Structure formats: C-alpha cells, structure tokens
C-alpha cells in the first residue's frame, strides 16, 4: 500500500568546506537539534530516453534513514512535490509504476543512477519543541548506471518544511543562508544534477564544446545580424492549444489514479477541449486525421464520466432535499436515494484504472503524441491568426446564435429541452474555440470566453433540471412500487420545473446581452 506526503523543500549549493551558519538566529527558531548522520543509498529508475526526468518526476529505491523504501516524486509547483511511498521490495511496486504509465507507456524502467549520500541532519524547532524544518548537509556521490559511465560528487544543503508548516518560514531560513554566502542550487533535484554531470559525451554536463583556436593578428569588426522571428501562424496558435490539452491529459493521469479531488472532471474537460478544437479548426487540422482521434476522445470522456454524472445528479438531489422543510419530507426518501444511487453507479475505481492501463487508452496517448509531432496541417494553417482563427470562432458563434434563437422560439416542452441542450453543447464548443484564440485575438476572445461560460452555466442549469426530473420520476416509480409515499418526489419535481422555467424566461435577455457584447455574428 502506498501513502502520500506533500514535500516542500529547497536545495542550496555548498562547497566542500561549507558549513551551516547559526540558524538559531532565524525568526521563530528556539533550538537546533543535531539528529546525527544518516547513510543513504538510492537507485533511481527511468526509461532509456529519460521520460521521467524530462517531466521532473523521480522514482527511486532507497535504503538507510528513517524512510527506506520506494519513493515516487511528482511535481506540484516550484519546490513542491508529492512523494508517494511504497514499502521496500526488490521489484518495482505496481502501486507506483501505474502512476507513471502515461509517461512511460510500454518502455522498460531501468536503473539509471545510484546516489550515495552522507546526510548530516538538524531539526529546527520552536519554543514548544515543535518541528519547523529539517536541514541537512548532504555529501553526495553519484554513479551512472545506464546511458553513461561517469561519476561525480558534490555537497548540498537541503531545507525541508515540516508537515503543515508555513512556506514563508523557508524564506526566513534562506535569508540567513544567503547572508552566509550560500545560494540556491542550479539543479532542481539531485537526480537532475547527477544526470547532467555523468552523461555520455554530447549530453549536458561536464563535457562541453571543443575550445576554438586563439585568434591572432588584427581583430575584425563584429557583424551583428538580427533575425526577426517569424510571427506565429494560425496553425501555431491551434497547435499550442492542442498541445496544452494533450499535456493536461498526461499530467492528470496520476491524479486520476490517486482519486485526487476534481482530477477526473479536469481530465474529462481536456478531452472535450481537444475534440472541440479539432471540429472548430477543421480548416487548420485535417479532419480526415482528427475525426477518428475525436471518436477515441469521446470514448475516453465517456469512461471518465461513468460515475461523475451520477455523482453530480446525486449531489443535486441531496441538496434539493436538504432545502425542503421537514413537513414536506414523507417516507424514507433519503434511504431510497442512497439505494437508487448505488444501483445506478455503472463504474468503479477499479474499472477506471483498468481503462487507464488498457491498450486503447495508451494507443490514444501515442496517437496524440504523433499528432503533435507531425500535425496534419492544411493550407489555412499558414494564414494569419486574426483571419483564420477569427473566422472559425465567428462561425461557431453564428451556429450557436441560430441554436439559441431556435430554442427561444420553440414552445415549452420536450422539443425546447432538446433545443436548449443542443445550444449548451454549441456554447461549450464556442467557448473552447475562443480559449484557443485568446493569444491571437486578445481581449475580444477573452470576453467571449467569459460570456460563453455564463451562457453555459445558464443552459447547464436547465439541462441539470431535465435530468433531475427524469431521476425523480424513476425514484417515485420505485417508491410507489415499494408501497412508499411518493409525495416528496412530486414536490421536488415541481421545484425543478420552476427552475427550468426560470432559465427559459431569463434566456432571451441573457442572449441579447451576450449577442450585443460579441458584436453580433460579424464580431471578433
């Protein structure tokens, strides 16, 4: 079983003779406790082409110290990582290898570097003896195990914040270190430094370019040639957006596997953004290539949403039930809701992990990599962004406009519900097209994104009401068949009808405002 620890730390350069300054002068520190010397021996794993290192991810097996075992470190932000630990074993733990599958794919994980460290540890404590931070002086020897045969050694200082500590405390420690002439490390991690300094010739590290022969005689005047970079094309902007969504899917994969809050929803949104961009920018990227990829993205979004849609529906029903006065709640409504929810959950964590480990998903990731590496660009991709991208966004907005007007003109009932739902889907697509256009078109596109989010929220509330009413009918039918009072379901149904009616009344005015702000179909 793996457990997770949020690690907030900073690393500093230290020469061979460097020592720690007196840290009792740091504000809030009442004592510095010597915890002795620890001998650490860690072997780091990666693919032959260092895919984990490229993503600032480390996977190691370490002995020595008080946390021997397997450690996987995933970047969160600058100086912040999530460390997922698994017990010490000879083989790579499946609990950790699954978390790097979106990076590694089918490549083999190999031992790449061995780090042996003599760690001199001190604890900074407050007046009550509580730990503020752990400071260590690490004397490191690195040995390359694959991809090179070099070795190197160095000394560094590491300051790790105590669990639940205030990150501002690290600034206070750093101020003291800087006064002592100790500066931040140029490498993000020990592994990064080891790889840089022990690689084969030609890699970044100690081996540099050959020295040029010294020039003699009269110096020639320098000729400086300034080459202006080519302005970005429409294709550049679209590909940047596509690449960002591909990266989001890959980066969110470990969070989804760990069931991190909102990670499933965010990955699902990334798949939808990608699919929408393929459709909106069909004049830039060849749809003969992107349409099949879009089908696979639709499949993945569906798998991600198996439990999510039911979860959202249950939350809405529970909230609505909580708003009712007790006098309007008759019968075992909450028990019935729990039973109904459990019966309708079509997926599970195990099912979702199986999808992420499956060949179809990994093939999709490989296809997205190929798309980004060799994009199927059409002639319009070379065009100016304001012309090509602006035309695409205006086209989506015009189609949305027609759908909204149709929804407004349709009499209340099932047909209007369907029309509003179609307008909602088109509002999403227009929003995503405008997101991709923000760097090219600037403020008008950014304003359109905000308008579309507002419209999407309004229309989404209507669709949620439609789905909730369907669920309430199902619940009422089950309750009636079981001999339970179905009165409360009728009350909730009526409230949902009212919410939908409120949206329908608000839609014409909301759309008129959005349409005018966007400058009509010829805007942007």
């Amino acid at each position: 079983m793996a457990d997770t620890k949020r690690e907030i730390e900073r690393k500093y350069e230290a020469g061979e003779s460097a020592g720690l300054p007196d840290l009792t002068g740091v504000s809030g520190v009442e004592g510095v406790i010597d915890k002795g010397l620890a001998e650490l021996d860690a072997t780091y794993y990666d693919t032959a082409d260092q895919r984990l290192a490229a993503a600032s991810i480390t996977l190691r097996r370490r002995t020595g110290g008080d946390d021997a075992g397997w450690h996987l470190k995933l970047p969160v932000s600058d100086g912040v990582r999530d460390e997922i630990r698994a017990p010490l074993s000879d083989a790579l733990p499946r609990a950790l290898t699954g978390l790097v599958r979106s990076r590694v794919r089918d490549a083999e994980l190999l031992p790449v570097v061995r780090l042996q460290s003599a760690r001199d540890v001190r604890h900074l404590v407050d007046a009550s003896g509580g730990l503020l931070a752990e400071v260590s002086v690490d004397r490191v020897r690195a040995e390359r195990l694959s991809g090179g045969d070099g070795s190197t050694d160095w000394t560094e200082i590491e300051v790790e914040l105590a669990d639940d500590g205030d990150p501002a405390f690290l600034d206070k420690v750093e101020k003291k270190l800087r006064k002592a002439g100790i500066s931040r490390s140029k490498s993000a991690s020990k592994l990064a430094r080891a790889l840089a300094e022990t690689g084969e010739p030609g890699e970044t590290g100690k081996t540099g370019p050959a020295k040029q022969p010294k020039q003699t005689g009269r110096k020639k005047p320098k000729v400086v040639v300034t080459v202006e970079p080519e302005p970005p094309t429409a294709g550049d902007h679209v590909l940047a957006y596509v690449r960002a969504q591909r990266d989001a899917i890959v980066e969110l994969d470990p969070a989804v596997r760990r069931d991190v809050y909102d990670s499933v929803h965010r990955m699902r949104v990334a798949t939808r953004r990608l699919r929408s961009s393929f459709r909106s920018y069909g004049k830039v990227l060849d749809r003969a290539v992107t349409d099949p990829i879009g089908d696979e993205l639709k499949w993945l979004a569906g798998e991600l949403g198996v439990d999510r849609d039911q979860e959202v529906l249950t939350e809405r029903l529970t909230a609505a039930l909580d708003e009712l006065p007790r006098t309007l709640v008759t019968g075992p409504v909450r028990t019935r809701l729990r039973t109904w929810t459990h019966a309708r959950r079509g997926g599970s964590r195990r099912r979702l992990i199986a999808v992420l480990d499956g060949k179809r998903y990994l093939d999709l990731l490989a296809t997205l990599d190929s798309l980004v590496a060799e994009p199927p660009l059409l002639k319009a991709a070379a065009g100016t962004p304001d012309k090509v991208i602006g035309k695409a966004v205006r086209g989506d907005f015009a189609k949305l406009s027609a759908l909204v007007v149709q929804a407004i003109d349709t009499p209340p009932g099932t047909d209007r519900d369907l029309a509003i739902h179609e307008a909602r889907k088109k509002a999403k697509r227009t929003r995503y097209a405008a997101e991709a256009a923000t760097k090219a078109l600037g403020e008008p596109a950014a304003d359109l994104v905000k308008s579309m989010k507002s419209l999407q929220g309004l229309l989404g509330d209507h669709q949620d009401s439609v789905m909730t009413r369907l669920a309430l009918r199902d619940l009422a039918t089950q309750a009636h068949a079981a001999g339970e009072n179905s009165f409360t379901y009728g009350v909730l149904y009526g409230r949902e009808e009212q919410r939908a009616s409120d949206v329908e009344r608000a839609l014409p005015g909301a759309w008129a405002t959005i349409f005018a702000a966007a400058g009509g179909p010829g805007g942007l």
Side-chain angles (χ1 to χ4, degrees):
M1 183 67 69
D3 61 284
T4 302
K5 178 181 182 296
R6 177 61 56 88
E7 179 183 85
I8 303 176
E9 66 178 18
R10 296 179 186 176
K11 297 180 184 295
Y12 300 87
E13 303 282 354
E16 288 298 326
S17 60
L20 284 175
D22 182 9
L23 297 176
T24 54
V26 176
S27 176
V29 174
E30 292 296 325
V32 179
I33 303 174
D34 190 342
K35 303 298 289 186
L37 190 69
E39 298 290 340
L40 309 176
D41 192 340
T43 300
Y44 288 77
Y45 288 74
D46 205 338
T47 60
D49 53 358
Q50 297 177 17
R51 299 179 192 180
L52 298 185
S56 300
I57 295 171
T58 60
L59 174 61
R60 73 186 179 200
R61 180 186 186 273
R62 190 166 79 179
T63 58
D66 57 5
D67 63 346
W70 288 91
H71 305 154
L72 173 65
K73 297 191 179 186
L74 301 172
V76 176
S77 59
D78 185 28
V80 182
R81 296 186 291 182
D82 277 344
E83 182 177 276
I84 300 106
R85 300 175 178 176
L88 193 63
S89 63
D90 292 334
L92 284 159
R94 291 182 61 185
L96 301 188
T97 56
L99 295 177
V100 297
R101 195 173 305 281
S102 66
R103 301 285 186 183
V104 174
R105 314 288 170 79
D106 294 326
E108 184 181 4
L109 285 166
L110 306 167
V112 292
V113 166
R114 181 185 183 188
L115 293 182
Q116 294 174 289
S117 304
R119 169 166 288 183
D120 190 3
V121 182
R122 292 170 177 78
H123 282 182
L124 308 185
V125 297
D126 59 19
S128 65
L131 181 64
L132 296 170
E134 179 178 284
V135 181
S136 62
V137 179
D138 294 346
R139 292 170 177 83
V140 185
R141 178 160 183 81
E143 176 189 0
R144 192 68 168 257
L145 303 178
S146 62
D149 58 2
S151 63
T152 186
D153 54 74
W154 71 89
T155 300
E156 70 178 32
I157 295 171
E158 185 175 289
V159 183
E160 182 175 348
L161 189 68
D163 293 346
D164 301 319
D166 182 0
F169 178 72
L170 295 181
D171 295 331
K172 299 176 182 178
V173 176
E174 180 163 314
K175 184 177 180 181
K176 189 73 172 179
L177 293 176
R178 285 187 178 278
K179 285 184 177 180
I182 299 170
S183 59
R184 285 275 195 109
S185 174
K186 298 180 179 65
S187 298
S189 66
K190 289 182 175 67
L191 176 62
R193 181 166 182 171
L195 289 172
E197 296 185 6
T198 63
E200 295 174 331
E203 291 185 350
T204 56
K206 291 183 177 179
T207 303
K211 290 185 178 180
Q212 299 298 317
K214 189 175 181 179
Q215 298 293 326
T216 59
R218 192 172 180 179
K219 291 185 178 181
K220 294 182 179 180
K222 288 185 177 181
V223 178
V224 179
V225 179
T226 303
V227 179
E228 292 293 333
E230 292 289 333
T233 63
D236 292 332
H237 284 284
V238 173
L239 283 175
Y241 188 75
V242 167
R243 190 178 296 109
Q245 306 318 312
R246 186 279 311 266
D247 291 349
I249 293 172
V250 173
E251 290 166 7
L252 283 165
D253 179 292
V256 170
R257 293 172 185 268
R258 294 163 55 206
D259 202 19
V260 174
Y261 173 75
D262 204 38
S263 58
V264 171
H265 172 67
R266 289 164 59 202
M267 182 187 275
R268 195 180 184 193
V269 168
T271 65
R272 287 171 169 170
R273 282 174 167 149
L274 256 182
R275 189 162 172 256
S276 289
S277 65
F278 292 159
R279 290 184 169 188
S280 295
Y281 296 106
K283 298 294 185 182
V284 174
L285 296 173
D286 189 353
R287 288 193 59 175
V289 176
T290 61
D291 277 357
I293 303 175
D295 291 340
E296 290 302 283
L297 290 167
K298 183 179 181 181
W299 160 77
L300 178 58
E303 293 291 347
L304 291 166
V306 166
D307 283 345
R308 175 60 181 167
D309 290 342
Q310 181 62 34
E311 181 181 322
V312 170
L313 189 56
T314 301
E315 288 176 355
R316 185 178 176 102
L317 284 166
T318 301
L321 190 57
D322 289 342
E323 293 173 1
L324 283 183
R326 290 185 179 181
T327 54
L328 297 181
V329 180
T330 60
V333 180
R334 295 185 187 277
T335 302
R336 171 62 56 190
L337 177 58
R338 285 194 296 270
T339 303
W340 175 83
T341 298
H342 180 75
R344 285 173 61 95
R345 287 182 70 89
S348 65
R349 292 294 307 162
R350 185 177 299 176
R351 171 189 168 92
L352 182 54
I353 299 304
V355 167
L356 298 182
D357 283 339
K359 184 177 184 300
R360 186 173 181 180
Y361 169 69
L362 296 178
D363 285 348
L364 172 58
L365 295 184
T367 301
L368 291 173
D369 289 345
S370 298
L371 178 78
V372 169
E374 299 181 13
L377 297 173
L378 298 176
K379 184 178 179 180
T384 57
D386 56 341
K387 181 178 179 181
V388 176
I389 291 180
K391 183 178 180 180
V393 177
R394 287 192 296 272
D396 278 344
F397 186 80
K399 293 174 184 176
L400 169 64
S401 178
L403 288 173
V404 173
V405 171
Q406 179 183 342
I408 292 171
D409 292 342
T410 301
T414 302
D415 288 344
R416 175 179 276 186
D417 292 343
L418 292 173
I420 290 178
H421 182 48
E422 289 301 314
R424 173 177 174 256
K425 291 193 293 184
K426 184 61 70 175
K428 279 186 181 181
R429 178 169 157 184
T430 306
R431 170 189 168 186
Y432 298 149
E435 284 179 350
T438 50
K439 287 189 177 180
L441 305 181
E443 189 173 344
D447 289 342
L448 185 59
V449 171
K450 294 178 182 177
S451 295
M452 291 301 98
K453 287 178 69 174
S454 175
L455 180 63
Q456 184 182 327
L458 185 66
L459 301 180
D461 194 38
H462 187 278
Q463 177 63 14
D464 288 346
S465 173
V466 172
M467 299 307 297
T468 304
R469 278 178 279 156
L470 290 174
L472 286 167
R473 290 182 64 180
D474 189 22
L475 282 163
T477 299
Q478 292 182 24
H480 180 73
E484 299 166 5
N485 193 317
S486 59
F487 169 78
T488 301
Y489 305 106
V491 173
L492 292 173
Y493 191 98
R495 290 193 169 200
E496 288 295 341
E497 277 190 322
Q498 184 61 51
R499 291 180 71 171
S501 296
D502 291 344
V503 170
E504 292 172 17
R505 281 194 298 272
L507 182 56
W511 176 246
T513 301
I514 290 171
F515 189 83
L524 289 180

